Amino acid sequence: MPTTMTIAEHLAAFDRALSELIDHARAAGAHAPVPPCPGWTVLDLLAHQGAVHRWATGAFAGEDLAWEPLEQECRDSADPLAWLADGAARLRTTLVEAADDAVAVTFLKDAPAPRAFWTRRQAHETTMHAVDALAARTGALPTAAQTWLDPGFALDGVDELILGFLPRSKTRIRSTTPVRVAVHVTDAAVGFTLDVHDAPPIGTLTGPEPDGDLVVRGTAVQLYLALWHRSEELADSPVWPLWHDTAVL
């Protein structure tokens, strides 16, 4: 699960995502629905993201924190946005101060060392939920142009999804007939394939024009949003009947 981004670059993306998440959540209001996450309100979103930040921090201390009490802290808080920011600050400090060989649990296939893993993972986790807050603010799934996302960071997120998330045994995407999904990134010099069958799928980094039975094509930002089910901008792609069951965030 390679990345060309540095820890410092992932931390900068984390900082930007946190700022966007707080701004959009404040503007939307705690009770606004979150279009990419049916049944959630903004308060649910804040509780989830803040719990993730605290759980990731606990990983470096060897703590297996219970999820529900963490989320309840947010719901009981007089200021859920401040509660979110506090947990994010503690996570950031942990990531900055951790040694490169620090020991902590990780969970993606072929994950890098924990410090690099968690910095990358929380940059993308927080970014995607900041997109959710943007959707809550506007009342609709966003287009790429409506976001702040950088193409290089978005490409890193597509890489993490296809090479790290989807090949896990718990991934739901399966096919009784083997099928190859080709991901064409129109503004990058690389592409991806995902071989789907009746076992965990196999993701591969390729050149810019991969072959496949099903093809999805777009910019890095468009693909990042669409493959994580946060945009309908590429809704005409034939990949979606197979891809619909891949949501993991």
Side-chain angles (χ1 to χ4, degrees):
M1 198 176 65
T3 179
T4 61
M5 294 186 67
T6 66
I7 286 176
E9 288 171 331
H10 281 133
L11 283 170
F14 174 81
D15 292 343
R16 176 67 187 273
L18 180 66
S19 176
E20 295 283 347
L21 173 53
I22 290 172
D23 287 350
H24 294 309
R26 180 180 290 114
H31 301 296
V34 182
C37 307
W40 278 20
T41 65
V42 167
L43 182 60
D44 295 323
L45 177 65
L46 298 175
H48 171 82
Q49 183 63 90
V52 171
H53 289 160
R54 286 160 171 79
W55 189 84
T57 302
F60 284 88
E63 299 173 344
D64 187 11
L65 301 176
W67 196 264
E68 290 79 7
L70 291 175
E71 290 195 335
Q72 193 59 44
E73 283 183 16
C74 179
R75 296 190 173 94
D76 293 340
S77 172
D79 188 343
L81 290 173
W83 178 88
L84 174 73
D86 178 66
R90 283 187 276 140
L91 172 60
R92 194 186 197 286
T93 298
T94 297
L95 295 171
V96 168
E97 295 181 352
D100 288 337
D101 61 352
V103 176
V105 65
T106 60
F107 60 87
L108 296 190
K109 183 176 176 60
D110 297 329
R115 182 181 184 230
F117 167 84
W118 278 111
T119 308
R120 185 189 195 189
R121 177 81 292 274
Q122 287 311 300
H124 289 295
E125 170 97 17
T126 309
T127 295
M128 205 50 64
H129 288 317
V131 171
D132 292 338
L134 170 61
R137 181 178 189 172
T138 63
L141 299 179
T143 65
Q146 291 174 308
T147 72
W148 63 94
L149 297 171
D150 171 78
F153 177 72
L155 182 65
D156 184 72
V158 174
D159 179 287
E160 187 201 45
L161 173 63
I162 294 176
L163 303 186
F165 263 102
L166 296 182
R168 296 184 304 163
S169 60
K170 68 186 296 182
T171 299
R172 297 189 299 267
I173 184 171
R174 297 288 189 274
S175 176
T176 54
T177 302
V179 58
R180 172 169 288 181
V181 177
V183 180
H184 288 240
V185 190
T186 58
D187 54 351
V190 298
F192 302 88
T193 58
L194 188 72
D195 289 297
V196 183
H197 39 87
D198 58 0
I202 299 171
T204 305
L205 180 68
T206 73
E209 294 290 331
D211 293 325
D213 306 299
L214 299 173
V215 176
V216 59
R217 184 188 304 270
T219 67
V221 176
Q222 287 175 329
L223 289 164
Y224 183 50
L225 295 172
L227 295 178
W228 275 113
H229 303 277
R230 261 62 182 197
S231 175
E232 296 178 335
E233 199 166 4
L234 304 180
D236 59 345
S237 170
V239 74
W240 302 125
L242 177 69
W243 202 267
H244 75 281
D245 204 24
T246 62
V248 290
L249 263 186

